[in-house]
Amino acid sequence: MDLGIRGKRALVCASSKGLGLGCAEALAAAGVDLVMNARGAPALEAAADDLRTRFGVEVETHACDVTDADARAGLIAKAQDVDILVTNAGGPPPGLWSDWDREDFIAALDANMLTPIDLMKALMPAMIARGWGRVVNITSQSVKAPIAVLGLSNSARAGLTGYVAGTSRQVAGQGVTINNLLPGIHATDRADSLDAGVAEARGITLAEARAQRAATIPAGRYGSREEFGAACAFLCSQHAGFIVGQNILLDGGATNMTI
Ligand code: NAP
């Protein structure tokens, strides 16, 4: 399917690896020029080179911590005229409800709620001025069904979800759509580190921890970054202009719910 976005320009945050890279890759395959971001420059430059070579698109890079307001200002300056924004960052650490104090919540809110809000506020006015824009926020399946040990993530992502629910309705009439993609377990470094923690806690191998987790997913496997990226690219396409303010689960059926 031609996504109809060849020649558009996108900022994809946290995109040297994992789900962010999957989104950058699928947008590049659709002919979209990119601004890519991650903290570590070597992996970021390698990923950018790979996409330039494979898809012939223009790729700019900006290595910084997207959750740091001062550093983010430089990224926003480089991405000022983008048509597409994909927000993403690492998730907060796991723990127990009694572990977390105010500073932990402020850090989580800053990273996983206020950073995407700041990016939308900075980059949507130019989209609105042109009458066309797409925003996709990478959140988590925990928005639909909380993961108890990820209380910081549950809280921050719920806040972002509430903001998107209202804001998406305010900008839809100006040609800009905002939607959230909710990953379940995907085969990325993040999943590896979660599985390594489980393996250590249960005294089992990493392969056993993965197999046990995969068995809890109706699809019987982890998702891939390519599948995730394809869903993101569709939401950014010309065909998705009537999809507004949605929270779309990509979890292989893991979240047991009717609607
Ligand atoms: P990942 O494989 O660990 O990749 C993270 C990517 O983001 C890397 O390119 C990393 O590069 C970059 N990054 C991380 N923190 C950053 C920051 N502060 N500023 C800029 N770049 C940053 O993670 P993932 O699995 O793709 O997960 C992406 C998001 O989805 C996370 O918020 C995660 O909590 C959520 N999620 C993932 C899953 C899953 O199964 N994978 C499930 C539910 C939710 P640098 O380290 O060089 O910065």
Side-chain angles (χ1 to χ4, degrees):
M1 181 192 286
D2 179 359
L3 297 183
I5 48 176
R6 183 166 298 280
K8 301 271 188 203
R9 189 161 181 259
L11 167 60
V12 186
C13 301
S15 58
S16 65
K17 298 178 187 171
L19 304 180
L21 177 57
C23 297
E25 207 165 22
L27 289 168
V32 174
D33 297 323
L34 299 172
V35 180
M36 294 175 71
N37 152 260
R39 291 165 302 185
L44 178 62
E45 294 306 330
D49 273 346
D50 178 50
L51 297 191
R52 282 185 203 108
T53 307
R54 282 199 286 145
F55 302 112
V57 293
E58 284 180 26
V59 183
E60 285 187 74
T61 56
H62 193 85
C64 75
D65 182 343
V66 72
T67 69
D68 178 292
D70 293 336
R72 190 166 59 245
L75 178 64
I76 287 170
K78 198 172 265 185
Q80 202 47 242
D81 63 344
V82 292
D83 309 284
I84 295 167
L85 165 64
V86 180
T87 77
N88 185 29
L96 187 64
W97 65 273
S98 50
D99 295 341
W100 303 314
D101 55 25
R102 187 172 194 281
E103 283 63 42
D104 299 308
F105 280 101
I106 296 297
L109 293 172
D110 240 341
N112 296 105
M113 177 186 172
L114 299 176
T115 291
I117 289 174
D118 186 49
L119 287 161
M120 284 184 260
K121 194 171 176 215
L123 298 176
M124 287 198 308
M127 298 180 197
I128 289 169
R130 290 192 296 272
W132 196 95
R134 299 282 186 265
V135 178
V136 174
N137 300 296
I138 300 178
T139 66
S140 172
Q141 67 182 357
S142 66
V143 168
K144 297 262 187 191
I147 299 169
V149 293
L150 295 180
L152 293 171
S153 172
N154 297 336
S155 306
R157 296 191 198 279
L160 175 63
T161 304
Y163 173 86
V164 167
T167 305
S168 60
R169 270 94 185 170
Q170 289 183 317
V171 300
Q174 293 153 300
V176 177
T177 69
I178 315 175
N179 292 286
N180 302 323
L181 276 182
L182 284 51
I185 293 298
H186 284 70
T188 67
D189 289 357
R190 164 88 171 167
D192 279 348
S193 83
L194 292 173
D195 287 339
V198 170
E200 193 180 324
R202 294 189 193 157
I204 56 177
T205 66
L206 185 59
E208 286 167 335
R210 268 191 208 127
Q212 286 179 9
R213 196 193 294 271
T216 67
I217 302 171
R221 63 175 178 86
Y222 288 11
S224 72
R225 77 162 198 248
E226 290 81 4
E227 289 171 309
F228 191 88
C232 176
F234 180 78
L235 281 181
C236 296
S237 76
Q238 296 292 357
H239 312 297
F242 209 50
I243 303 177
V244 170
Q246 297 303 299
N247 291 284
I248 299 169
L249 266 173
L250 287 95
D251 71 345
T255 307
N256 196 31
M257 57 200 298
T258 304
I259 55 169

